[in-house]
Each structure stands twice: as C-alpha cells, then as structure tokens.
Amino acid sequence: MPRYYLGVDGGGTNCRVRLADENLKTLAEVKNGRSNLQIDDGEPAYKAISDGTRDVFKAAGVDFAETANTYACFGMAGGRMDTARAEFRARPWPFADVQVYDDIDIAHAGALGGGEGGVIIVGTGSAALAIVDGQRFQSGGWGFPIGDQMSGAILGRELVRYAVEAEDGLMEASPLTKAVIARLGGNNQAVMTWAFATEMDLKIISADGSEGCDDALIGRAPAEFGKLMPLFIDYLEQGDPVAQKMLDIELGYIDTYVRWFQARNAKVMAVVGGFGERLFPILKQRYGDFVALPKFEPLNGAVILARQNFPA
C-alpha cells in the first residue's frame, strides 16, 4: 500500500501545499489562499488547505482516495496559540493523521534539515525556536505591536518614529529620514494620516453593532511598516547615519536572542526570512559560524515533520 506525506506552509498571504512519496520525493506542489489561524476562526485556512489538497492530488495524478494513506503536517501562521492548533487539528480532515504546528516549527525543520539547533524568523514578523537534546524552547512570535522585536515591521515602525522626530527637529535628520517622510506623504501631517489609515475611511463596529470602540484603534498593518526595509537597506549600504542607528537597534534585538540560544546550548542559529537573509552578511561577521543560512525552505520542513511524526 502506498504511503504519502503532505506538507502545508500556511501563510497569512497564501497557502502552499506539497505532496511527497514515502521517500519525501515531491510529487506535486500548489498554492492557494490565505491561511492564518487567527483569521475568522481558521475558516479561510481550512478552505485553503482543503482546496489545496484536492488540487495537489490532481496535479500529482494520485487518486484523492489516497488521502486515507496520507499523513499531513501543517505549519500555520497564527499558530502560536495551543488552543488554535488543537481546534484546527480536530477539524474533519480526510488524512490518516494530521499534526498542526506553528509556522516557526516548519521553518526550523527546513532550515536545519530536521536536526537540532536554533532558528530565528526575521521577516515582517519575528520569532525564535530552539530544539536541543530533544527539548523544545520557543520565544517571541507574539505579534505586532507587543512582540516581533527582530522584525521588519518593528524596525520600520522605529524608523518612521525617528523620521517624524527628525522632521520636528528633535533628532538628527539624514537622507534616509527625508526619504521616509517623502515616501509616506511629504510631511508629518501626511505621515500621521498614513499611520492611522485615515484616508482609508475604516470604521470599527462594536459587537452591539454601534460604531466606534474606545479600547480599539485602527492603524497600519505590520506589513506596511515592513515595506520600508528595502529603503532602509539601500541607505544602509550608502552609509547613512540614521540607517546605522536603526541597524544597531536591530542587532541589539538579535543579540538578545543569540544569548537566549546559547544559554540553551544551541550550537547553530539559522536565519530565515527575507529581511534576515538580507542582513545575513552582517550577522555572519558579528556571530561567525554560530549563524547559518537555511538548508531548505519551510515547506520542505513541513514534509520532514510529517514523516518524523508518522514514520512508516
């Protein structure tokens, strides 16, 4: 009887699904809709994976009935909460068995080829995971604005705050701060309008149907701040003094995680995420062989974890 493994990299923007044979040879791969567990009680994620499963079996030329001989592993954005993962696993899946992880788990498995060590995600968000001597240690990943210290979103927010203060004459301006203000509208009033998303004319509706809510606030999404990172990198490479100050903030956050990993005897820290990989040459110079680029992508990690959880 054939045995299959299905891996899911469930991102907030899109969901990738890969079907592999018992030797982890990829048979087909597809992309589907958004799949964050914190959005609409995971319903869009369930639809994305269900649709993606049908599509990937069709693309592989494998009868859909073989889902009964398929073991699945999902790595999900918004999967930091234990209850969200448990509820999602309990849905009516067609597979022989399913395991649901936070997205950092599949990033870890992919980056280290299923081995032990540490991994940091440094993208729009950020988080850290170490597996040492079979023990799992996780930190960060609590989301914007309370967590994600290493992220492009947080550094972008700090850059905007600094640029606004520089425009007010409170801090030293630079070509980078001027470029940020220009990007976001040309002056501080325009930046304030951008930050609060005023021009989008969004409204908060309370549970009772009334408009407004005293304890909630509309503002730009983390990804909107993260979009400033290419601009930051460009000016960093030009030697901009404010870009260097922002880099020092970023490296200070990463230093904290390096110490956290080393206190748990991790021997390597793989760096995953677009922003982190742009910073990798700097991190390599700072931390030496302790840092590494990922061996494989997170989707590959999902398939690795599927076989580790459900060996033949």
Side-chain angles (χ1 to χ4, degrees), residues 86-105:
E87 290 171 3
F88 200 64
R89 186 184 184 189
R91 283 175 175 261
W93 301 107
F95 309 111
D97 210 339
V98 175
Q99 187 58 267
V100 181
Y101 285 95
D102 190 11
D103 54 2
I104 195 171
D105 288 271

Side-chain angles (χ1 to χ4, degrees), residues 222-279:
E224 295 300 301
F225 289 95
K227 288 177 180 177
L228 294 171
M229 289 304 95
L231 188 69
F232 158 72
I233 292 290
D234 288 346
Y235 279 87
L236 179 66
E237 292 173 347
Q238 296 172 33
D240 185 276
V242 173
Q244 185 60 53
K245 287 183 179 181
M246 294 297 112
L247 177 64
D248 292 342
I249 292 172
E250 178 70 13
L251 293 177
Y253 287 137
I254 296 176
D255 283 345
T256 298
Y257 280 88
V258 167
R259 292 191 294 269
W260 183 83
F261 281 124
Q262 292 175 338
R264 286 152 184 80
N265 296 316
K267 305 304 181 187
V268 65
M269 182 182 81
V271 182
V272 177
F275 184 36
E277 291 180 19
R278 288 292 301 272
L279 293 174

